[in-house]
Amino acid sequence: MSENYSITLKPVYSQTVPTPDGVKLPNNWSLSWHQAATLEALRDPNIDVVFNTAMTGDGKSLAAYLEVLQGDFSAIGLYPTNELARDQETQIRGYIEKFQPEDKPRVVRLSGAELENYAENEGLKKGAALLTRTTQAEIFLTNPDIFHYLHQGAYLNNDDSPDKLWNRLNKSFDLFIFDEFHVFAAPQIASVINTMLLICCTNRRKKFLFLSATPDTNLIGRLQQAGFNCKEIDPLAQNKYQFPDTLEQGQQLQAQEWRQVARTISLNFIPLEPSFKASETWLRENSNLILAQFQQYPGSKGAIILNSIAAVKRLTPFFQELLQPYGLRVGENTGLSGKGEKERSLAADFVLGTSTIDVGVDFKINFLIFESSDAGNFIQRLGRLGRHDNYEKDGQIIKFENFTAYALVPNFLVGRLFQVDSPPLEVNGIYDRPFFHGQITQQYRKINDFRGYYRRWGAVQSFWLYYQLSDRTIKQQYAQSRDKFQAACEQVFDASLKSQAGRIQGWAKDWKELSGKSGNPIAEDAASFRGLSPLQCGLYDLTEENEADRFKTYDLPGILGNLEIEMWTEAAFMRLLKETAQRTGQPIAKGRFAHCLAFMKLRSYREERLNWKFTYSGDLQPIADAWKVQVLTGVEISQPENPWIGGINKRLKKEGLVCYVIRRPVAEVRMRLRLPMHFQIYGISDQYSSHDATAPYCIAFAHSALLLDTLAYTFQSKGDEIWIA
């Protein structure tokens, strides 16, 4: 095992307060300061937007739904992952059971797949299905994707008025909750700002609540610019947290009715070379450490959170074989895990997962090993540990004895934290969370916040919504709202909607000249929530036990490097999907396969990642010299030993790909622009560089292309000088 750098993180106690007048709580319950302050802010008619920045584990969910639990109040909860929405549904139903409100609020949770299946089963269009489900709820839980597309008019028929869905929905709910919002990038933040402006300009005042331990200053500033009255609930700034040094001090705080929200954690930094499979290799070589944890502390529950789905898929059977002889269940939870496997994994003794489990899911674990890609990601994943003293198994309460974490980090981070002159951390040091989080934020990799996106691309969405309000069916009704919306959007995004109309017309004209088709790929990408992936493929996963969960989607770059697949036809894929749904009696949503590039059978996960690159048969220099987002056809894949790549290339080179091309190697662009780990940017060669060892160009797709467009000017500076906004 490599040298270990260990520190201790102090526990966290949160101040409770007397129950506010008129608030009903279950017996022996009390509210944290931030919960009472959030309720007060939501009840204040002068406040529109509330930001709750309480620490992980301090009950932000109860703060969000407390008013609903008092009766005659309704809320929409928007969650970035379906796993988190499912986890929150369980929590909320638990609150309802304990609070026993007179008018018991109905809870409805709806993902994209569930909406599609419900609509099909009921013989309804998606829009009608959405209306039906939302009118059956006082608490409606969904994802911000559905919320975005509903306001964009995606679920309407041609003869529907544009406000048919959002007008009913927005009038029906009092509060809009955005949870774990820090995980979103500029395009999603721009979407939420646009939607909030639409709601406020067409409705009586509504309340908006953002829950995040790490709020986005871009969002707060822009909402204030738009005229929203914002209130930040920050317990740390108000000295509502204590970090006791000793057990006795903790007991004194409890006697004064402070509530413990995070336990003492022993945190071990494991420095690794930043290379492919470094974490995976360390985990295999140190698997005895994991076994020892379960043997030394019976009743432990643990998790491994990694960056790579393929790594989790390879390691899960390894740990199953290691731990099952000791009666320990091992689960997995990734973007390629079936729904059933994901649900079962959270009850396992040891779960391996990716970002599907690090966003807000309320784990009851006392042992954590995790990778991270940047400071926010590190703090997010570490926050899964130390939230609970115990858990229930087979009707028994099992108490945790200790809380231990291993952070698998690049060796440069360990150097900055422990090995420099006057290091910020010392081995065996004891630190409180705010100080430690500050050091991680300062010393670890910071990713770009793309603040230039709002001015460059945010108003494209604004124009679409403004255009809807100009529809003949509602133009008169919303005349004042439309003018108000235009003024607010132009203020927030510092761009005129008239100029956006010209840009959109120009993209449509360019696409018509290139393809001979009507449409507007660039505008469609800019108006989408997460971007339209042009490289998504349909997978039939033969490694999945549950037949109904075998139908999945995955991006082509991940397939090329990590999966053993067999090409298949769309007709055969869809035929088997229909047969499986009928035979198993389990509906399988098929809308996500409508625009797949290709269809394949997934046979296994590769032990070693294969190399590949994008190629272009012409000259990329004039395309790069344009310094703009454009639609490109003729892109192909080079992977010489791949027997099925020819079939992919036949389809791929005809695709019009929204992209941005820069004449710099991808590694340099990633580093100099501080791009996020999963940013869609890849190396690409043209006819003059096809034999170069390193592709001299890089290409970004979809939303990544729009984001790159806001930074690429930095490469136009003379010489090697570069500055980053």
Side-chain angles (χ1 to χ4, degrees):
M1 182 170 143
S2 54
E3 191 175 354
N4 195 338
Y5 296 81
S6 300
I7 64 168
T8 299
L9 295 177
K10 296 179 187 180
V12 181
Y13 284 77
S14 177
Q15 186 178 18
T16 63
V17 294
T19 302
D21 291 342
V23 174
K24 295 178 183 176
L25 297 178
N27 291 336
N28 302 317
W29 275 48
S30 58
L31 295 179
S32 291
W33 173 85
H34 77 89
Q35 292 168 336
T38 300
L39 181 65
E40 182 184 348
L42 290 175
R43 288 178 168 180
D44 187 335
N46 297 314
I47 294 172
D48 308 309
V49 187
V50 180
F51 291 87
N52 183 317
T53 64
M55 291 180 71
T56 296
D58 196 13
K60 288 192 288 293
S61 295
L62 178 57
Y65 292 98
L66 187 57
E67 184 73 304
V68 184
L69 294 165
Q70 302 307 303
D72 197 28
F73 198 74
S74 57
I76 291 180
L78 301 163
Y79 299 94
T81 68
N82 292 328
E83 283 66 40
L84 180 53
R86 193 179 296 117
D87 177 75
Q88 288 296 299
E89 181 187 15
T90 303
Q91 275 200 44
I92 291 163
R93 291 190 186 280
Y95 289 144
I96 293 169
E97 194 64 35
K98 290 183 175 73
F99 275 73
Q100 291 291 311
E102 286 182 23
D103 296 321
K104 187 175 178 181
R106 297 167 296 173
V107 183
V108 169
R109 178 174 58 82
L110 202 62
S111 67
E114 287 158 344
L115 171 61
E116 184 180 327
N117 289 334
Y118 177 80
E120 195 169 301
N121 289 343
E122 300 297 319
L124 299 170
K125 297 284 188 183
K126 280 187 182 178
L130 255 174
L131 276 181
T132 302
R133 296 298 279 146
T134 53
T135 54
Q136 295 169 345
E138 284 71 51
I139 298 176
F140 179 55
L141 310 178
T142 187
N143 52 56
D145 307 61
I146 286 178
F147 192 64
H148 167 89
Y149 288 114
L150 180 150
H151 286 88
Q152 290 275 330
Y155 304 116
L156 299 176
N157 299 322
N158 290 334
D159 54 349
D160 288 334
S161 61
D163 70 336
K164 180 179 178 180
L165 291 179
W166 54 253
N167 185 38
R168 290 271 298 275
L169 181 93
N170 297 340
K171 278 183 166 52
S172 299
F173 292 91
D174 305 300
L175 174 64
F176 300 85
I177 301 162
F178 298 87
D179 198 8
E180 299 288 345
F181 198 69
H182 59 273
V183 304
F184 287 124
Q188 291 81 43
I189 296 171
S191 159
V192 167
I193 292 171
N194 274 309
T195 306
M196 288 173 66
L197 289 173
L198 179 69
I199 291 170
C200 281
C201 291
T202 57
N203 249 295
R204 62 184 174 84
R205 283 289 191 181
K206 296 289 182 176
K207 296 286 186 177
F208 302 91
L209 173 62
F210 290 86
L211 306 176
S212 174
T214 50
D216 187 285
T217 52
N218 271 321
L219 176 62
I220 297 173
R222 288 179 186 280
L223 290 177
Q224 288 172 331
Q225 260 186 302
F228 287 100
N229 295 316
C230 301
K231 172 84 171 179
E232 188 171 344
I233 309 296
D234 185 352
L236 185 62
Q238 299 297 322
N239 297 313
K240 303 303 179 183
Y241 288 127
Q242 291 285 326
F243 313 94
D245 294 306
T246 65
L247 185 63
E248 291 73 23
Q249 288 176 356
Q251 290 169 340
Q252 286 173 7
L253 286 169
Q254 284 180 321
Q256 296 163 19
E257 298 191 349
W258 286 64
R259 178 187 295 125
Q260 187 174 18
V261 296
R263 281 78 196 155
T264 302
I265 289 176
S266 172
L267 174 59
N268 308 279
F269 287 86
I270 308 297
L272 299 174
E273 290 290 335
S275 60
F276 173 62
K277 292 187 83 171
S279 296
E280 192 175 340
T281 301
W282 185 90
L283 285 163
R284 289 179 188 271
E285 291 176 352
N286 293 275
S287 57
N288 59 319
L289 180 149
I290 294 164
L291 180 57
Q293 167 75 22
F294 286 103
Q295 291 179 319
Q296 192 174 348
Y297 303 103
S300 286
K301 286 190 72 173
I304 294 175
I305 307 179
L306 301 178
N307 298 330
S308 163
I309 290 177
V312 170
K313 289 286 190 176
R314 288 189 292 263
L315 284 169
T316 298
F318 172 83
F319 281 106
Q320 285 172 338
E321 189 176 330
L322 175 75
L323 298 177
Q324 276 174 349
Y326 300 91
L328 299 167
R329 280 195 303 126
V330 176
E332 75 162 55
N333 196 316
T334 75
L336 276 179
S337 304
K339 181 183 173 186
E341 177 61 40
K342 285 178 181 176
E343 291 173 359
R344 290 190 300 273
S345 72
L346 298 180
D349 301 293
F350 197 54
V351 58
L352 288 83
T354 54
S355 56
T356 52
I357 57 172
D358 72 28
V359 181
V361 174
D362 191 23
F363 265 154
K364 294 184 177 180
I365 58 172
N366 67 321
F367 181 54
L368 174 67
I369 302 174
F370 67 99
E371 276 186 306
S372 54
S373 57
D374 55 67
N377 190 236
F378 183 105
I379 294 166
Q380 177 79 25
R381 291 181 174 183
L382 180 60
R384 299 310 97 208
L385 183 66
R387 298 158 67 100
H388 297 277
D389 288 318
N390 53 52
Y391 69 100
E392 186 177 330
K393 185 176 182 179
D394 301 328
Q396 279 189 310
I397 299 296
I398 298 174
K399 188 171 173 57
F400 292 133
E401 293 183 51
N402 63 0
F403 298 88
T404 305
Y406 289 85
L408 310 180
V409 297
N411 44 21
F412 77 79
L413 178 60
V414 169
R416 291 175 185 175
L417 291 172
F418 293 97
Q419 295 168 347
V420 296
D421 293 336
S422 302
L425 300 180
E426 293 183 0
V427 173
N428 299 323
I430 301 173
Y431 304 98
D432 64 42
R433 308 296 170 102
F435 172 82
F436 175 70
H437 291 169
Q439 293 306 316
I440 290 295
T441 301
Q442 199 173 326
Q443 305 299 336
Y444 206 176
R445 179 174 180 262
K446 297 181 184 72
I447 60 172
N448 210 301
D449 65 4
F450 302 103
R451 62 185 58 193
Y453 182 92
Y454 302 99
R455 186 168 187 269
R456 184 89 175 113
W457 293 99
V460 176
Q461 288 182 355
S462 309
F463 177 79
W464 283 122
L465 295 174
Y466 176 83
Y467 184 75
Q468 281 189 19
L469 291 173
S470 306
D471 186 87
R472 59 178 179 77
T473 59
I474 59 172
K475 187 174 183 177
Q476 195 170 347
Q477 177 187 347
Y478 290 111
Q480 286 185 319
S481 298
R482 188 172 63 252
D483 293 342
K484 191 177 171 187
F485 178 74
Q486 178 180 359
C489 291
E490 292 183 341
Q491 171 75 21
V492 170
F493 298 118
D494 190 22
S496 83
L497 296 196
K498 187 176 180 181
S499 70
Q500 301 310 308
R503 292 175 75 201
I504 291 167
Q505 286 174 347
W507 296 328
K509 183 183 174 187
D510 291 345
W511 173 241
K512 182 77 172 178
E513 289 174 2
L514 177 70
S515 67
K517 302 174 187 173
S518 57
N520 200 331
I522 294 176
E524 287 166 13
D525 244 311
S528 69
F529 188 73
R530 296 187 201 245
L532 307 172
S533 174
L535 304 172
Q536 198 167 72
C537 298
L539 283 183
Y540 182 68
D541 186 355
L542 293 166
T543 70
E544 172 68 56
E545 285 185 21
N546 184 349
E547 275 188 277
D549 284 344
R550 287 180 182 169
F551 301 89
K552 303 170 182 179
T553 58
Y554 201 45
D555 263 11
L556 181 61
I559 293 169
L560 292 166
N562 298 306
L563 308 188
E564 283 282 3
I565 67 101
E566 173 190 330
M567 290 300 291
W568 214 15
T569 65
E570 179 179 3
F573 182 93
M574 298 307 294
R575 187 164 57 245
L576 185 58
L577 183 149
K578 188 176 179 182
E579 289 171 2
T580 304
Q582 289 174 340
R583 186 173 65 256
T584 61
Q586 297 181 53
I588 304 171
K590 50 185 179 290
R592 60 204 152 128
F593 303 113
H595 303 290
C596 283
L597 180 69
F599 293 84
M600 310 164 180
K601 291 180 183 177
L602 165 55
R603 297 205 164 275
S604 62
Y605 294 84
R606 294 184 180 280
E607 285 299 321
E608 295 296 330
R609 188 162 57 187
L610 290 185
N611 291 328
W612 62 275
K613 66 179 177 181
F614 283 109
T615 62
Y616 181 69
S617 56
D619 182 2
L620 282 173
Q621 187 64 55
I623 293 163
D625 286 345
W627 297 101
K628 67 177 184 179
V629 174
Q630 51 200 307
V631 183
L632 194 62
T633 57
V635 174
E636 297 183 70
I637 303 288
S638 174
Q639 194 176 40
E641 295 176 9
N642 187 329
W644 47 264
I645 204 65
I648 286 282
N649 281 334
K650 278 183 183 175
R651 300 182 184 92
L652 183 61
K653 67 184 179 183
K654 295 174 186 173
E655 289 285 319
L657 305 176
V658 174
C659 67
Y660 200 103
V661 176
I662 295 181
R663 188 178 169 79
R664 295 290 169 99
V666 66
E668 179 188 346
V669 175
R670 273 193 176 279
M671 181 183 70
R672 290 172 69 168
L673 298 185
R674 298 183 282 116
L675 301 180
M677 180 175 59
H678 294 302
F679 197 86
Q680 281 188 297
I681 187 169
Y682 310 96
I684 184 169
S685 297
D686 65 4
Q687 68 183 74
Y688 302 111
S689 58
S690 58
H691 298 298
D692 290 11
T694 301
Y697 295 89
C698 64
I699 186 168
F701 298 108
H703 267 185
S704 293
L706 310 188
L707 290 165
L708 191 60
D709 174 57
T710 69
L711 299 173
Y713 64 87
T714 56
F715 285 103
Q716 297 183 56
S717 57
K718 292 179 181 178
D720 289 327
E721 186 184 347
I722 184 168
W723 61 280
I724 299 175

